[in-house]
Amino acid sequence: MQYRPTATQLLDAVAQTLDEELLPELPDRLRHTARVAAHLVRMVGREVELGPQAAAREAELVSEVDGPGDLDWEALAEIVRADLSICKPGYDRWEGR
């Protein structure tokens, strides 16, 4: 049986190649662009991995409310944390108000 990497593993490999192999070889004017590209590839990987579960949970929470404005703070925080875990990991663990 042949090893078949997941989409997330392939995206991680692209990001790692950008960061570790290409970035050091690029002229200064292109380094920022390569960093942004690596960041976006990682974000897409997290969306592939975490997005379906986050979307399903959001739909579940929203279906439980009666109308606009009825979503409670805890449900809203859960939705936002799930989105942050995809686009800005680490920010999803903030516990303040």
Side-chain angles (χ1 to χ4, degrees):
M1 187 166 136
Q2 185 176 13
Y3 171 71
R4 183 175 175 188
T6 66
T8 303
Q9 290 170 327
L10 292 170
L11 290 166
D12 285 342
V14 170
Q16 185 175 352
T17 300
L18 284 167
D19 277 340
E20 295 176 9
E21 294 182 34
L22 295 177
L23 189 64
E25 302 299 324
L26 289 173
D28 289 342
R29 65 183 180 78
L30 295 176
R31 288 184 182 183
H32 175 72
T33 302
R35 278 189 208 96
V36 169
H39 173 74
L40 292 174
V41 168
R42 285 187 180 94
M43 189 184 305
V44 170
R46 290 188 299 271
E47 179 67 38
V48 167
E49 186 177 340
L50 305 172
Q53 182 182 3
R57 180 64 178 143
E58 179 176 343
E60 179 184 333
L61 290 168
V62 170
S63 73
E64 295 172 358
V65 300
D66 295 326
D70 289 339
L71 195 62
D72 68 2
W73 174 255
E74 288 79 20
L76 181 60
E78 184 177 340
I79 291 168
V80 170
R81 282 193 179 100
D83 289 344
L84 285 171
S85 70
I86 294 168
C87 67
K88 199 74 171 165
Y91 284 65
D92 57 314
R93 292 185 289 275
W94 184 68
E95 293 296 327
R97 289 201 172 247

